[in-house]
PDB file of all heavy atoms in Angstrom:
ATOM      1  N   PHE S   1      -7.297  41.637 137.998  1.00  0.00           N
ATOM      2  CA  PHE S   1      -7.181  43.030 138.230  1.00  0.00           C
ATOM      3  C   PHE S   1      -8.542  43.770 138.088  1.00  0.00           C
ATOM      4  O   PHE S   1      -8.784  44.894 138.625  1.00  0.00           O
ATOM      5  CB  PHE S   1      -6.221  43.824 137.331  1.00  0.00           C
ATOM      6  CG  PHE S   1      -4.821  43.617 137.753  1.00  0.00           C
ATOM      7  CD1 PHE S   1      -3.930  42.823 137.000  1.00  0.00           C
ATOM      8  CD2 PHE S   1      -4.335  44.343 138.916  1.00  0.00           C
ATOM      9  CE1 PHE S   1      -2.581  42.698 137.452  1.00  0.00           C
ATOM     10  CE2 PHE S   1      -3.019  44.074 139.293  1.00  0.00           C
ATOM     11  CZ  PHE S   1      -2.102  43.333 138.602  1.00  0.00           C
ATOM     12  N   ALA S   2      -9.475  43.084 137.499  1.00  0.00           N
ATOM     13  CA  ALA S   2     -10.863  43.752 137.369  1.00  0.00           C
ATOM     14  C   ALA S   2     -11.671  43.588 138.620  1.00  0.00           C
ATOM     15  O   ALA S   2     -12.762  44.091 138.687  1.00  0.00           O
ATOM     16  CB  ALA S   2     -11.586  43.056 136.248  1.00  0.00           C
ATOM     17  N   TYR S   3     -11.162  42.864 139.611  1.00  0.00           N
ATOM     18  CA  TYR S   3     -11.928  42.642 140.903  1.00  0.00           C
ATOM     19  C   TYR S   3     -11.372  43.184 142.112  1.00  0.00           C
ATOM     20  O   TYR S   3     -10.169  43.650 142.157  1.00  0.00           O
ATOM     21  CB  TYR S   3     -11.972  41.067 140.983  1.00  0.00           C
ATOM     22  CG  TYR S   3     -12.669  40.438 139.869  1.00  0.00           C
ATOM     23  CD1 TYR S   3     -12.043  39.959 138.752  1.00  0.00           C
ATOM     24  CD2 TYR S   3     -14.140  40.392 139.857  1.00  0.00           C
ATOM     25  CE1 TYR S   3     -12.697  39.352 137.719  1.00  0.00           C
ATOM     26  CE2 TYR S   3     -14.762  39.778 138.817  1.00  0.00           C
ATOM     27  CZ  TYR S   3     -14.052  39.351 137.680  1.00  0.00           C
ATOM     28  OH  TYR S   3     -14.683  38.719 136.683  1.00  0.00           O
ATOM     29  N   PRO S   4     -12.052  43.414 143.154  1.00  0.00           N
ATOM     30  CA  PRO S   4     -11.607  44.093 144.398  1.00  0.00           C
ATOM     31  C   PRO S   4     -10.312  43.345 144.936  1.00  0.00           C
ATOM     32  O   PRO S   4     -10.240  42.132 144.830  1.00  0.00           O
ATOM     33  CB  PRO S   4     -12.801  43.925 145.341  1.00  0.00           C
ATOM     34  CG  PRO S   4     -13.903  43.805 144.503  1.00  0.00           C
ATOM     35  CD  PRO S   4     -13.446  42.998 143.317  1.00  0.00           C
ATOM     36  N   LYS S   5      -9.454  44.145 145.589  1.00  0.00           N
ATOM     37  CA  LYS S   5      -8.195  43.517 146.057  1.00  0.00           C
ATOM     38  C   LYS S   5      -8.400  42.408 147.017  1.00  0.00           C
ATOM     39  O   LYS S   5      -7.594  41.455 147.081  1.00  0.00           O
ATOM     40  CB  LYS S   5      -7.413  44.620 146.595  1.00  0.00           C
ATOM     41  CG  LYS S   5      -6.925  45.609 145.622  1.00  0.00           C
ATOM     42  CD  LYS S   5      -5.896  46.636 146.262  1.00  0.00           C
ATOM     43  CE  LYS S   5      -4.521  45.926 146.522  1.00  0.00           C
ATOM     44  NZ  LYS S   5      -3.536  46.917 146.892  1.00  0.00           N
ATOM     45  N   ASP S   6      -9.515  42.524 147.774  1.00  0.00           N
ATOM     46  CA  ASP S   6      -9.738  41.447 148.862  1.00  0.00           C
ATOM     47  C   ASP S   6      -9.986  40.062 148.220  1.00  0.00           C
ATOM     48  O   ASP S   6      -9.703  39.044 148.945  1.00  0.00           O
ATOM     49  CB  ASP S   6     -10.926  41.852 149.710  1.00  0.00           C
ATOM     50  CG  ASP S   6     -10.698  42.946 150.630  1.00  0.00           C
ATOM     51  OD1 ASP S   6      -9.500  43.257 150.984  1.00  0.00           O
ATOM     52  OD2 ASP S   6     -11.578  43.741 151.157  1.00  0.00           O
ATOM     53  N   ILE S   7     -10.466  39.956 147.032  1.00  0.00           N
ATOM     54  CA  ILE S   7     -10.807  38.735 146.468  1.00  0.00           C
ATOM     55  C   ILE S   7      -9.781  38.242 145.445  1.00  0.00           C
ATOM     56  O   ILE S   7      -9.905  37.200 144.891  1.00  0.00           O
ATOM     57  CB  ILE S   7     -12.237  38.841 145.791  1.00  0.00           C
ATOM     58  CG1 ILE S   7     -12.786  37.354 145.580  1.00  0.00           C
ATOM     59  CG2 ILE S   7     -12.203  39.587 144.514  1.00  0.00           C
ATOM     60  CD1 ILE S   7     -13.130  36.616 146.791  1.00  0.00           C
ATOM     61  N   ARG S   8      -8.842  39.159 145.090  1.00  0.00           N
ATOM     62  CA  ARG S   8      -7.930  38.822 144.039  1.00  0.00           C
ATOM     63  C   ARG S   8      -7.112  37.529 144.201  1.00  0.00           C
ATOM     64  O   ARG S   8      -6.948  36.672 143.294  1.00  0.00           O
ATOM     65  CB  ARG S   8      -6.927  39.966 143.767  1.00  0.00           C
ATOM     66  CG  ARG S   8      -7.577  41.175 143.042  1.00  0.00           C
ATOM     67  CD  ARG S   8      -6.653  42.301 142.841  1.00  0.00           C
ATOM     68  NE  ARG S   8      -7.200  43.519 142.286  1.00  0.00           N
ATOM     69  CZ  ARG S   8      -6.627  44.619 142.046  1.00  0.00           C
ATOM     70  NH1 ARG S   8      -5.326  44.732 142.298  1.00  0.00           N
ATOM     71  NH2 ARG S   8      -7.209  45.622 141.587  1.00  0.00           N
ATOM     72  N   LYS S   9      -6.614  37.320 145.407  1.00  0.00           N
ATOM     73  CA  LYS S   9      -5.838  36.154 145.745  1.00  0.00           C
ATOM     74  C   LYS S   9      -6.545  34.817 145.455  1.00  0.00           C
ATOM     75  O   LYS S   9      -6.039  33.847 145.032  1.00  0.00           O
ATOM     76  CB  LYS S   9      -5.264  36.239 147.231  1.00  0.00           C
ATOM     77  CG  LYS S   9      -4.216  35.220 147.387  1.00  0.00           C
ATOM     78  CD  LYS S   9      -3.570  35.383 148.814  1.00  0.00           C
ATOM     79  CE  LYS S   9      -2.430  34.351 148.966  1.00  0.00           C
ATOM     80  NZ  LYS S   9      -1.774  34.590 150.263  1.00  0.00           N
ATOM     81  N   ALA S  10      -7.855  34.910 145.701  1.00  0.00           N
ATOM     82  CA  ALA S  10      -8.701  33.716 145.519  1.00  0.00           C
ATOM     83  C   ALA S  10      -8.823  33.369 144.038  1.00  0.00           C
ATOM     84  O   ALA S  10      -9.044  32.275 143.657  1.00  0.00           O
ATOM     85  CB  ALA S  10     -10.048  33.841 146.130  1.00  0.00           C
ATOM     86  N   ILE S  11      -8.647  34.506 143.264  1.00  0.00           N
ATOM     87  CA  ILE S  11      -8.818  34.300 141.812  1.00  0.00           C
ATOM     88  C   ILE S  11      -7.487  33.910 141.104  1.00  0.00           C
ATOM     89  O   ILE S  11      -7.433  33.082 140.317  1.00  0.00           O
ATOM     90  CB  ILE S  11      -9.353  35.597 141.182  1.00  0.00           C
ATOM     91  CG1 ILE S  11     -10.763  35.851 141.741  1.00  0.00           C
ATOM     92  CG2 ILE S  11      -9.355  35.487 139.645  1.00  0.00           C
ATOM     93  CD1 ILE S  11     -11.360  37.188 141.260  1.00  0.00           C
ATOM     94  N   TYR S  12      -6.389  34.606 141.524  1.00  0.00           N
ATOM     95  CA  TYR S  12      -5.140  34.353 140.781  1.00  0.00           C
ATOM     96  C   TYR S  12      -4.233  33.170 141.319  1.00  0.00           C
ATOM     97  O   TYR S  12      -3.090  33.091 140.726  1.00  0.00           O
ATOM     98  CB  TYR S  12      -4.327  35.715 140.676  1.00  0.00           C
ATOM     99  CG  TYR S  12      -3.678  36.196 141.975  1.00  0.00           C
ATOM    100  CD1 TYR S  12      -2.675  35.506 142.597  1.00  0.00           C
ATOM    101  CD2 TYR S  12      -3.973  37.466 142.489  1.00  0.00           C
ATOM    102  CE1 TYR S  12      -1.964  35.913 143.670  1.00  0.00           C
ATOM    103  CE2 TYR S  12      -3.328  37.968 143.613  1.00  0.00           C
ATOM    104  CZ  TYR S  12      -2.305  37.171 144.170  1.00  0.00           C
ATOM    105  OH  TYR S  12      -1.636  37.634 145.307  1.00  0.00           O
ATOM    106  N   THR S  13      -4.638  32.492 142.276  1.00  0.00           N
ATOM    107  CA  THR S  13      -3.891  31.334 142.678  1.00  0.00           C
ATOM    108  C   THR S  13      -4.761  30.149 142.651  1.00  0.00           C
ATOM    109  O   THR S  13      -6.025  30.246 142.936  1.00  0.00           O
ATOM    110  CB  THR S  13      -3.318  31.523 144.069  1.00  0.00           C
ATOM    111  OG1 THR S  13      -4.355  31.206 145.076  1.00  0.00           O
ATOM    112  CG2 THR S  13      -2.597  32.856 144.335  1.00  0.00           C
ATOM    113  N   THR S  14      -4.145  29.018 142.457  1.00  0.00           N
ATOM    114  CA  THR S  14      -4.904  27.608 142.595  1.00  0.00           C
ATOM    115  C   THR S  14      -4.691  27.150 143.902  1.00  0.00           C
ATOM    116  O   THR S  14      -4.816  25.885 144.255  1.00  0.00           O
ATOM    117  CB  THR S  14      -4.422  26.687 141.543  1.00  0.00           C
ATOM    118  OG1 THR S  14      -2.995  26.570 141.657  1.00  0.00           O
ATOM    119  CG2 THR S  14      -4.838  27.111 140.166  1.00  0.00           C
ATOM    120  N   ASN S  15      -4.498  28.015 145.045  1.00  0.00           N
ATOM    121  CA  ASN S  15      -4.256  27.559 146.363  1.00  0.00           C
ATOM    122  C   ASN S  15      -5.301  26.723 146.923  1.00  0.00           C
ATOM    123  O   ASN S  15      -5.056  25.647 147.608  1.00  0.00           O
ATOM    124  CB  ASN S  15      -3.992  28.716 147.269  1.00  0.00           C
ATOM    125  CG  ASN S  15      -2.684  29.275 147.177  1.00  0.00           C
ATOM    126  OD1 ASN S  15      -1.714  28.801 146.378  1.00  0.00           O
ATOM    127  ND2 ASN S  15      -2.381  30.401 147.847  1.00  0.00           N
ATOM    128  N   ALA S  16      -6.549  26.984 146.556  1.00  0.00           N
ATOM    129  CA  ALA S  16      -7.707  26.224 147.018  1.00  0.00           C
ATOM    130  C   ALA S  16      -7.635  24.720 146.566  1.00  0.00           C
ATOM    131  O   ALA S  16      -7.733  23.844 147.449  1.00  0.00           O
ATOM    132  CB  ALA S  16      -8.990  26.786 146.517  1.00  0.00           C
ATOM    133  N   ILE S  17      -7.228  24.444 145.362  1.00  0.00           N
ATOM    134  CA  ILE S  17      -7.151  23.176 144.912  1.00  0.00           C
ATOM    135  C   ILE S  17      -5.751  22.538 145.256  1.00  0.00           C
ATOM    136  O   ILE S  17      -5.683  21.295 145.357  1.00  0.00           O
ATOM    137  CB  ILE S  17      -7.496  23.038 143.368  1.00  0.00           C
ATOM    138  CG1 ILE S  17      -7.811  21.571 143.030  1.00  0.00           C
ATOM    139  CG2 ILE S  17      -6.342  23.525 142.533  1.00  0.00           C
ATOM    140  CD1 ILE S  17      -8.476  21.375 141.699  1.00  0.00           C
ATOM    141  N   GLU S  18      -4.725  23.432 145.324  1.00  0.00           N
ATOM    142  CA  GLU S  18      -3.427  22.883 145.733  1.00  0.00           C
ATOM    143  C   GLU S  18      -3.475  22.348 147.224  1.00  0.00           C
ATOM    144  O   GLU S  18      -2.828  21.312 147.635  1.00  0.00           O
ATOM    145  CB  GLU S  18      -2.380  23.870 145.620  1.00  0.00           C
ATOM    146  CG  GLU S  18      -1.962  24.092 144.259  1.00  0.00           C
ATOM    147  CD  GLU S  18      -0.551  24.935 144.199  1.00  0.00           C
ATOM    148  OE1 GLU S  18       0.276  24.843 145.092  1.00  0.00           O
ATOM    149  OE2 GLU S  18      -0.350  25.574 143.180  1.00  0.00           O
ATOM    150  N   SER S  19      -4.262  23.002 148.053  1.00  0.00           N
ATOM    151  CA  SER S  19      -4.449  22.484 149.419  1.00  0.00           C
ATOM    152  C   SER S  19      -5.138  21.238 149.380  1.00  0.00           C
ATOM    153  O   SER S  19      -4.656  20.288 150.196  1.00  0.00           O
ATOM    154  CB  SER S  19      -5.318  23.609 150.226  1.00  0.00           C
ATOM    155  OG  SER S  19      -5.574  23.028 151.537  1.00  0.00           O
ATOM    156  N   LEU S  20      -6.162  20.992 148.599  1.00  0.00           N
ATOM    157  CA  LEU S  20      -6.734  19.770 148.502  1.00  0.00           C
ATOM    158  C   LEU S  20      -5.820  18.667 148.017  1.00  0.00           C
ATOM    159  O   LEU S  20      -5.643  17.544 148.421  1.00  0.00           O
ATOM    160  CB  LEU S  20      -7.959  19.801 147.509  1.00  0.00           C
ATOM    161  CG  LEU S  20      -8.620  18.513 146.953  1.00  0.00           C
ATOM    162  CD1 LEU S  20      -9.220  17.746 148.107  1.00  0.00           C
ATOM    163  CD2 LEU S  20      -9.598  18.754 145.922  1.00  0.00           C
ATOM    164  N   ASN S  21      -5.001  19.086 146.966  1.00  0.00           N
ATOM    165  CA  ASN S  21      -4.015  18.105 146.357  1.00  0.00           C
ATOM    166  C   ASN S  21      -2.921  17.796 147.371  1.00  0.00           C
ATOM    167  O   ASN S  21      -2.512  16.541 147.461  1.00  0.00           O
ATOM    168  CB  ASN S  21      -3.327  18.711 145.122  1.00  0.00           C
ATOM    169  CG  ASN S  21      -4.171  18.696 143.941  1.00  0.00           C
ATOM    170  OD1 ASN S  21      -5.255  18.152 143.926  1.00  0.00           O
ATOM    171  ND2 ASN S  21      -3.752  19.386 142.860  1.00  0.00           N
ATOM    172  N   MET S  22      -2.628  18.666 148.215  1.00  0.00           N
ATOM    173  CA  MET S  22      -1.556  18.351 149.267  1.00  0.00           C
ATOM    174  C   MET S  22      -2.078  17.235 150.170  1.00  0.00           C
ATOM    175  O   MET S  22      -1.463  16.326 150.640  1.00  0.00           O
ATOM    176  CB  MET S  22      -1.203  19.595 150.025  1.00  0.00           C
ATOM    177  CG  MET S  22      -0.085  19.407 151.087  1.00  0.00           C
ATOM    178  SD  MET S  22       0.345  20.943 151.912  1.00  0.00           S
ATOM    179  CE  MET S  22       0.734  22.060 150.567  1.00  0.00           C
ATOM    180  N   SER S  23      -3.356  17.437 150.602  1.00  0.00           N
ATOM    181  CA  SER S  23      -4.070  16.460 151.483  1.00  0.00           C
ATOM    182  C   SER S  23      -4.131  15.008 150.819  1.00  0.00           C
ATOM    183  O   SER S  23      -3.987  14.102 151.445  1.00  0.00           O
ATOM    184  CB  SER S  23      -5.389  16.945 151.921  1.00  0.00           C
ATOM    185  OG  SER S  23      -5.228  18.105 152.648  1.00  0.00           O
ATOM    186  N   LEU S  24      -4.387  15.080 149.510  1.00  0.00           N
ATOM    187  CA  LEU S  24      -4.536  13.860 148.867  1.00  0.00           C
ATOM    188  C   LEU S  24      -3.245  13.146 148.643  1.00  0.00           C
ATOM    189  O   LEU S  24      -3.096  11.974 148.730  1.00  0.00           O
ATOM    190  CB  LEU S  24      -5.286  14.086 147.504  1.00  0.00           C
ATOM    191  CG  LEU S  24      -6.707  14.468 147.445  1.00  0.00           C
ATOM    192  CD1 LEU S  24      -7.148  14.791 146.051  1.00  0.00           C
ATOM    193  CD2 LEU S  24      -7.576  13.333 147.994  1.00  0.00           C
ATOM    194  N   ARG S  25      -2.172  13.951 148.419  1.00  0.00           N
ATOM    195  CA  ARG S  25      -0.879  13.373 148.325  1.00  0.00           C
ATOM    196  C   ARG S  25      -0.313  12.654 149.500  1.00  0.00           C
ATOM    197  O   ARG S  25       0.298  11.622 149.507  1.00  0.00           O
ATOM    198  CB  ARG S  25       0.191  14.508 147.865  1.00  0.00           C
ATOM    199  CG  ARG S  25       0.047  14.969 146.517  1.00  0.00           C
ATOM    200  CD  ARG S  25       1.267  15.847 146.030  1.00  0.00           C
ATOM    201  NE  ARG S  25       1.043  16.319 144.703  1.00  0.00           N
ATOM    202  CZ  ARG S  25       0.549  17.504 144.388  1.00  0.00           C
ATOM    203  NH1 ARG S  25       0.172  18.391 145.410  1.00  0.00           N
ATOM    204  NH2 ARG S  25       0.397  17.956 143.111  1.00  0.00           N
ATOM    205  N   LYS S  26      -0.741  13.220 150.695  1.00  0.00           N
ATOM    206  CA  LYS S  26      -0.459  12.482 151.951  1.00  0.00           C
ATOM    207  C   LYS S  26      -1.040  11.136 151.993  1.00  0.00           C
ATOM    208  O   LYS S  26      -0.425  10.169 152.551  1.00  0.00           O
ATOM    209  CB  LYS S  26      -0.942  13.320 153.102  1.00  0.00           C
ATOM    210  CG  LYS S  26      -0.149  14.627 153.333  1.00  0.00           C
ATOM    211  CD  LYS S  26      -0.734  15.504 154.518  1.00  0.00           C
ATOM    212  CE  LYS S  26       0.036  16.704 154.626  1.00  0.00           C
ATOM    213  NZ  LYS S  26      -0.526  17.534 155.865  1.00  0.00           N
ATOM    214  N   VAL S  27      -2.219  11.033 151.514  1.00  0.00           N
ATOM    215  CA  VAL S  27      -2.960   9.757 151.458  1.00  0.00           C
ATOM    216  C   VAL S  27      -2.305   8.794 150.311  1.00  0.00           C
ATOM    217  O   VAL S  27      -1.991   7.665 150.594  1.00  0.00           O
ATOM    218  CB  VAL S  27      -4.364   9.868 151.106  1.00  0.00           C
ATOM    219  CG1 VAL S  27      -5.001   8.578 150.994  1.00  0.00           C
ATOM    220  CG2 VAL S  27      -5.062  10.697 152.286  1.00  0.00           C
ATOM    221  N   ILE S  28      -1.978   9.421 149.178  1.00  0.00           N
ATOM    222  CA  ILE S  28      -1.502   8.603 148.026  1.00  0.00           C
ATOM    223  C   ILE S  28      -0.146   8.046 148.294  1.00  0.00           C
ATOM    224  O   ILE S  28       0.210   6.974 147.713  1.00  0.00           O
ATOM    225  CB  ILE S  28      -1.583   9.381 146.748  1.00  0.00           C
ATOM    226  CG1 ILE S  28      -2.988   9.681 146.399  1.00  0.00           C
ATOM    227  CG2 ILE S  28      -0.791   8.876 145.619  1.00  0.00           C
ATOM    228  CD1 ILE S  28      -3.180  10.744 145.222  1.00  0.00           C
ATOM    229  N   LYS S  29       0.709   8.712 149.045  1.00  0.00           N
ATOM    230  CA  LYS S  29       2.079   8.384 149.227  1.00  0.00           C
ATOM    231  C   LYS S  29       2.263   6.944 149.791  1.00  0.00           C
ATOM    232  O   LYS S  29       3.229   6.222 149.655  1.00  0.00           O
ATOM    233  CB  LYS S  29       2.844   9.321 150.118  1.00  0.00           C
ATOM    234  CG  LYS S  29       2.514   9.313 151.526  1.00  0.00           C
ATOM    235  CD  LYS S  29       3.392  10.288 152.356  1.00  0.00           C
ATOM    236  CE  LYS S  29       3.057  10.259 153.888  1.00  0.00           C
ATOM    237  NZ  LYS S  29       3.838  11.172 154.587  1.00  0.00           N
ATOM    238  N   ASN S  30       1.115   6.441 150.518  1.00  0.00           N
ATOM    239  CA  ASN S  30       1.157   5.119 151.058  1.00  0.00           C
ATOM    240  C   ASN S  30       0.939   4.044 149.994  1.00  0.00           C
ATOM    241  O   ASN S  30       1.210   2.863 150.211  1.00  0.00           O
ATOM    242  CB  ASN S  30       0.123   4.927 152.117  1.00  0.00           C
ATOM    243  CG  ASN S  30       0.420   5.783 153.428  1.00  0.00           C
ATOM    244  OD1 ASN S  30       1.584   5.937 153.798  1.00  0.00           O
ATOM    245  ND2 ASN S  30      -0.579   6.382 153.960  1.00  0.00           N
ATOM    246  N   LYS S  31       0.567   4.460 148.886  1.00  0.00           N
ATOM    247  CA  LYS S  31       0.211   3.588 147.748  1.00  0.00           C
ATOM    248  C   LYS S  31       1.285   3.803 146.611  1.00  0.00           C
ATOM    249  O   LYS S  31       1.129   4.716 145.792  1.00  0.00           O
ATOM    250  CB  LYS S  31      -1.123   3.812 147.092  1.00  0.00           C
ATOM    251  CG  LYS S  31      -2.275   3.628 148.065  1.00  0.00           C
ATOM    252  CD  LYS S  31      -2.729   2.219 148.056  1.00  0.00           C
ATOM    253  CE  LYS S  31      -4.034   2.007 148.840  1.00  0.00           C
ATOM    254  NZ  LYS S  31      -4.431   0.577 148.836  1.00  0.00           N
ATOM    255  N   ARG S  32       2.383   3.063 146.689  1.00  0.00           N
ATOM    256  CA  ARG S  32       3.370   3.259 145.696  1.00  0.00           C
ATOM    257  C   ARG S  32       2.874   3.019 144.345  1.00  0.00           C
ATOM    258  O   ARG S  32       3.197   3.776 143.377  1.00  0.00           O
ATOM    259  CB  ARG S  32       4.551   2.321 146.020  1.00  0.00           C
ATOM    260  CG  ARG S  32       5.259   2.575 147.379  1.00  0.00           C
ATOM    261  CD  ARG S  32       6.409   1.738 147.499  1.00  0.00           C
ATOM    262  NE  ARG S  32       7.091   1.900 148.818  1.00  0.00           N
ATOM    263  CZ  ARG S  32       6.652   1.410 150.002  1.00  0.00           C
ATOM    264  NH1 ARG S  32       5.625   0.518 149.987  1.00  0.00           N
ATOM    265  NH2 ARG S  32       7.262   1.640 151.152  1.00  0.00           N
ATOM    266  N   VAL S  33       2.072   2.033 144.118  1.00  0.00           N
ATOM    267  CA  VAL S  33       1.601   1.601 142.746  1.00  0.00           C
ATOM    268  C   VAL S  33       0.116   1.188 142.975  1.00  0.00           C
ATOM    269  O   VAL S  33      -0.136   0.264 143.840  1.00  0.00           O
ATOM    270  CB  VAL S  33       2.343   0.560 142.141  1.00  0.00           C
ATOM    271  CG1 VAL S  33       1.727   0.184 140.780  1.00  0.00           C
ATOM    272  CG2 VAL S  33       3.851   0.910 141.877  1.00  0.00           C
ATOM    273  N   PHE S  34      -0.775   1.765 142.206  1.00  0.00           N
ATOM    274  CA  PHE S  34      -2.239   1.402 142.284  1.00  0.00           C
ATOM    275  C   PHE S  34      -2.394   0.182 141.268  1.00  0.00           C
ATOM    276  O   PHE S  34      -1.887   0.239 140.214  1.00  0.00           O
ATOM    277  CB  PHE S  34      -3.079   2.497 141.849  1.00  0.00           C
ATOM    278  CG  PHE S  34      -3.258   3.608 142.913  1.00  0.00           C
ATOM    279  CD1 PHE S  34      -2.322   4.573 142.922  1.00  0.00           C
ATOM    280  CD2 PHE S  34      -4.252   3.532 143.850  1.00  0.00           C
ATOM    281  CE1 PHE S  34      -2.446   5.664 143.842  1.00  0.00           C
ATOM    282  CE2 PHE S  34      -4.423   4.583 144.755  1.00  0.00           C
ATOM    283  CZ  PHE S  34      -3.498   5.562 144.778  1.00  0.00           C
ATOM    284  N   PRO S  35      -3.165  -0.806 141.743  1.00  0.00           N
ATOM    285  CA  PRO S  35      -3.377  -1.956 140.840  1.00  0.00           C
ATOM    286  C   PRO S  35      -4.295  -1.696 139.717  1.00  0.00           C
ATOM    287  O   PRO S  35      -4.218  -2.465 138.764  1.00  0.00           O
ATOM    288  CB  PRO S  35      -3.998  -2.995 141.778  1.00  0.00           C
ATOM    289  CG  PRO S  35      -4.539  -2.289 142.865  1.00  0.00           C
ATOM    290  CD  PRO S  35      -3.758  -1.013 143.088  1.00  0.00           C
ATOM    291  N   SER S  36      -5.074  -0.677 139.772  1.00  0.00           N
ATOM    292  CA  SER S  36      -6.092  -0.449 138.653  1.00  0.00           C
ATOM    293  C   SER S  36      -6.491   1.008 138.707  1.00  0.00           C
ATOM    294  O   SER S  36      -6.328   1.656 139.639  1.00  0.00           O
ATOM    295  CB  SER S  36      -7.310  -1.362 138.774  1.00  0.00           C
ATOM    296  OG  SER S  36      -7.977  -1.036 139.887  1.00  0.00           O
ATOM    297  N   ASP S  37      -7.127   1.486 137.642  1.00  0.00           N
ATOM    298  CA  ASP S  37      -7.818   2.781 137.615  1.00  0.00           C
ATOM    299  C   ASP S  37      -8.831   2.895 138.721  1.00  0.00           C
ATOM    300  O   ASP S  37      -8.907   3.981 139.375  1.00  0.00           O
ATOM    301  CB  ASP S  37      -8.353   3.072 136.254  1.00  0.00           C
ATOM    302  CG  ASP S  37      -7.283   3.195 135.169  1.00  0.00           C
ATOM    303  OD1 ASP S  37      -6.077   3.269 135.444  1.00  0.00           O
ATOM    304  OD2 ASP S  37      -7.695   3.445 134.013  1.00  0.00           O
ATOM    305  N   ASP S  38      -9.723   1.839 138.805  1.00  0.00           N
ATOM    306  CA  ASP S  38     -10.695   1.888 139.843  1.00  0.00           C
ATOM    307  C   ASP S  38     -10.208   2.094 141.276  1.00  0.00           C
ATOM    308  O   ASP S  38     -10.777   2.862 142.159  1.00  0.00           O
ATOM    309  CB  ASP S  38     -11.527   0.675 139.801  1.00  0.00           C
ATOM    310  CG  ASP S  38     -12.622   0.690 138.695  1.00  0.00           C
ATOM    311  OD1 ASP S  38     -12.810   1.750 138.081  1.00  0.00           O
ATOM    312  OD2 ASP S  38     -13.211  -0.411 138.505  1.00  0.00           O
ATOM    313  N   SER S  39      -8.966   1.571 141.592  1.00  0.00           N
ATOM    314  CA  SER S  39      -8.472   1.710 142.907  1.00  0.00           C
ATOM    315  C   SER S  39      -8.009   3.095 143.123  1.00  0.00           C
ATOM    316  O   SER S  39      -8.120   3.606 144.283  1.00  0.00           O
ATOM    317  CB  SER S  39      -7.275   0.694 143.105  1.00  0.00           C
ATOM    318  OG  SER S  39      -6.174   1.057 142.208  1.00  0.00           O
ATOM    319  N   VAL S  40      -7.671   3.806 142.029  1.00  0.00           N
ATOM    320  CA  VAL S  40      -7.306   5.264 142.206  1.00  0.00           C
ATOM    321  C   VAL S  40      -8.586   6.042 142.580  1.00  0.00           C
ATOM    322  O   VAL S  40      -8.581   6.935 143.466  1.00  0.00           O
ATOM    323  CB  VAL S  40      -6.716   5.782 140.943  1.00  0.00           C
ATOM    324  CG1 VAL S  40      -6.347   7.323 141.130  1.00  0.00           C
ATOM    325  CG2 VAL S  40      -5.393   5.035 140.608  1.00  0.00           C
TER     326      VAL S  40
END
């Protein structure tokens, strides 16, 4: 609330990283089980 309304959404949501996570999940779903930490 201390910031201009135009920028508030960028601050109060993790949408930026959730969008990244969504893209990563699409890739990860093909790997049911990873054989090691390094493979992740």
Side-chain angles (χ1 to χ4, degrees):
F1 280 110
Y3 298 92
K5 294 187 73 173
D6 287 340
I7 198 67
R8 287 181 183 179
K9 192 172 182 180
I11 297 173
Y12 72 62
T13 77
T14 54
N15 281 356
I17 199 166
E18 280 196 30
S19 175
L20 170 63
N21 285 354
M22 187 181 300
S23 299
L24 290 175
R25 286 189 184 99
K26 290 178 182 177
V27 174
I28 289 170
K29 71 178 181 180
N30 294 321
K31 297 275 190 181
R32 295 182 182 88
V33 178
F34 287 88
S36 65
D37 291 355
D38 278 352
S39 65
V40 179

